[in-house]
């Protein structure tokens, strides 16, 4: 039909070209492994990315090929984020904290052709090299000599590779539904499963996270993604930054406490994003060492539930707003954000905190429902809880080459993705995760949310982190077991009896872990992306 809009494929090269044209002077900042700061502009980033594209062409990278990265958050990683997809190839970010056998499985499953690796991370890869079946070459990202003395075939140094090239702006045209990126789920609940992001999904997601009621990324922001670039594309932040002209600050390999606090102060970060553990540790650090973090307009917390006690502490002690968000590898990741609605501004501080502790409202283009065991949709009344199912343009439609049918069972015949999360949605459309299906504890025939118990325990003043798993129990069916880490200064004085009494005010007595089911441990084991690793805790039991 005549008179319609232009055909304009939503491909990542358009985001790149926009940056060069509209804000070439804007800065991109990275902290390097030696602690020094690297700065350059989007203009320089553009030129280097074009050179990298040429180099990739010469290395024989063809459309559809998988090019892997094994690296910290940095400007070179960002160059790969754009160069690889702009060629029509697929950027496969490898999780640097995976166990060797998982890494071998994933590289072989994805059939990666090249791996770009940070020098500081080379050793574990070098050891696995004989087991990688399809990798033709490693490229090392370091400005030092490429001679590592490691037995790897054909090591090439990133800087020499691109120095030899000219910056040619040649972008092949392809369909917006072409694969652009790839990420495997971190496997909290089973074998890693591959998810392929398309150009269109990445583009729309970048716009999605930039909307005001989502993370509101803009040209006025300085964004610190502590969330790794090897985890769900750093929650899409590099793409949203490049689309809007925000200044990214990449933290490199030091993610705990002081280095993060210093970066926030020095670069005047306005928006920071990471898992709860990172922000909890930062909070403890700020108690010891005063740092000005008042530039922050929002601290995005996702990946695991943000404990309400932490949300409150940031608000009260630092005037910093925590923005609770929910998502998954399969959902690109953004699904919900807990931004208060207009009418909530008149609520009491306590009610506002309660609302902001929920995972939040579904962002535009993400449709959702909760269903009972038979798959029937449940009302959004804040009481019913059931499996959360979602659909939308940045939600996976299937897994990449699933090894077994079971993996794709999460995708329903009528077009929904079953998240495996158990949630309720209130009358305001705010979703609250009550648990993961596999983490629910059935005690005395009733479901107990391990997340609610953990949040309650973390609200006890002496507790730093708490994780709850179930154990078989003759009387209760399953009983809750609580693993605890005290705050450093309370190491010797944590009073378990007082904690038990504190929990008994909130839960029925059979739900509260017995004193003999409370274990004070040095640190709660974490998964590769910093979530409580309940698989390990169950094994410990
Ligand atoms: P994995 O499944 O390996 O943990 P993901 O990083 O994709 O890998 O994890 C997604 C899961 O993380 C969600 O299904 C949910 O259980 C949990 N999650 C993410 N954000 C939140 C949040 N804000 N609150 C509670 N749980 C969350």
């Amino acid at each position: 039909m005549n008179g319609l809009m232009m055909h304009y494929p939503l491909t990542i090269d358009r985001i790149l070209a926009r940056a060069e044209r509209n804000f070439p002077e804007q800065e991109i900042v990275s902290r390097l492994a030696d602690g020094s700061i690297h700065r350059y502009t989007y203009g320089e980033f553009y030129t280097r990315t074009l050179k990298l594209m040429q180099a990739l062409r010469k290395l024989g990278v063809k459309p559809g090929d998988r090019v892997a990265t094994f690296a910290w958050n940095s400007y070179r990683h960002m160059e790969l984020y754009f160069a690889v997809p702009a060629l029509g190839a697929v950027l496969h970010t490898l999780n640097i904290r995976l166990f060797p056998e998982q890494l071998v499985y994933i590289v072989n499953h994805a059939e990666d052709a090249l791996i770009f690796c940070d020098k500081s991370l080379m050793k574990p890869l070098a050891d696995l090299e004989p087991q990688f079946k399809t990798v033709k070459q490693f490229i090392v990202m370091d400005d030092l000599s490429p001679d590592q003395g490691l037995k790897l075939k054909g090591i090439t140094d990133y800087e020499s590779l691109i120095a030899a090239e000219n910056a040619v702006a040649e972008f092949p045209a392809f369909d917006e539904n072409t694969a652009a990126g790839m990420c495997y789920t971190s496997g909290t609940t089973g074998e890693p499963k591959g998810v392929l992001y398309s150009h269109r999904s990445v583009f729309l997601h970048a716009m999605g996270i930039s909307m005001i009621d989502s993370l509101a990324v803009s040209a006025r922001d300085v964004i610190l993604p502590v969330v790794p670039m090897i985890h769900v594309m750093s929650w899409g932040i590099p793409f949203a930054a490049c689309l809007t002209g925000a200044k990214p600050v990449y933290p490199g390999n030091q993610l705990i406490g002081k280095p993060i606090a210093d970066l926030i102060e020095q670069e005047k970060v306005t928006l920071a994003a990471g898992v709860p553990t990172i922000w909890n540790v930062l909070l403890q650090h700020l108690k010891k060492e005063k740092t000005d973090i008042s530039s922050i307009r929002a601290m995005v917390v996702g990946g695991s539930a943000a404990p309400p006690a932490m949300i409150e502490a940031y608000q009260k002690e630092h005037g910093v707003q925590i923005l609770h968000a929910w998502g998954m590898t399969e959902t690109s990741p953004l699904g919900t954000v807990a931004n208060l609605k207009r009418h909530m501004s008149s609520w009491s501080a306590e009610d506002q905190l309660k609302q902001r502790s929920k995972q939040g409202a579904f962002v535009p283009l993400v449709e959702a429902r909760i269903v009972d065991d038979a798959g029937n949709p449940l009302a959004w009344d804040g009481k019913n809880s059931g499996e959360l199912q979602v659909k939308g343009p940045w939600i996976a439609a299937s897994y990449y080459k699933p090894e077994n049918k079971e993996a794709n069972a999460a995708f329903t015949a009528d077009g929904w993705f079953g998240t495996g999360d158990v949630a309720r949605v209130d009358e305001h459309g705010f979703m609250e995760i009550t648990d993961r299906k596999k983490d629910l504890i059935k005690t005395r025939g009733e479901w107990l949310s391990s997340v609610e118990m953990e949040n309650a325990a973390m609200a006890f003043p002496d507790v730093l982190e708490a994780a709850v798993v179930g154990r078989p129990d003759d009387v209760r069916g399953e009983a809750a077991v609580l693993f605890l880490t005290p705050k450093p200064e309370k190491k010797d004085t944590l009073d378990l009896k007082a904690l038990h009494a504190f929990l008994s005010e909130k839960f029925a007595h059979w739900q509260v872990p017995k004193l003999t089911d409370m274990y004070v441990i040095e640190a709660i084991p974490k998964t590769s992306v910093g979530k409580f690793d309940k698989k390990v805790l169950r094994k410990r039991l």
Side-chain angles (χ1 to χ4, degrees), residues 56-57 60-68 83-92 107-114 134 136 172-175 177-182 184 195-199 400-401:
L56 288 168
R57 285 187 177 103
V61 174
K62 301 267 175 317
D65 282 356
R66 267 77 65 205
V67 175
V84 174
L87 278 175
V90 184
L91 178 88
H92 176 198
V107 169
N108 290 336
H109 189 261
E111 300 172 79
D112 293 328
L114 300 176
T134 52
K136 289 187 284 218
F174 43 76
D175 189 274
N177 290 307
T178 305
M182 176 179 221
Y184 280 72
V195 175
L196 275 180
Y197 306 112
S198 66
H199 281 259
Y400 176 70
K401 282 199 316 194

Side-chain angles (χ1 to χ4, degrees), residues 8 10-23 42 45-46 82 199 202-204 206-207 238-244:
Y8 184 90
L10 304 178
T11 51
I12 290 171
D13 54 297
R14 295 302 88 208
I15 303 181
L16 180 65
R18 176 179 150 73
E20 194 268 338
R21 170 92 323 191
N22 293 281
F23 38 86
Y42 272 98
F45 156 75
Y46 178 75
F82 286 84
H199 281 259
V202 168
F203 204 118
L204 290 174
M207 293 180 67
F239 298 112
C242 196
L243 182 70
T244 58

Side-chain angles (χ1 to χ4, degrees), residues 185-189 231-232 301-306 324-330 359 419-421 433 435-436 451 529 531:
T185 64
S186 55
T188 316
T189 52
H231 185 227
V232 209
V301 179
S304 308
H324 197 187
W326 167 88
M328 307 176 71
T329 306
E330 292 88 336
Q359 278 69 16
T419 62
D421 283 336
I433 302 265
D435 224 324
R436 276 190 156 187
V451 175
V529 294
K531 305 184 190 199

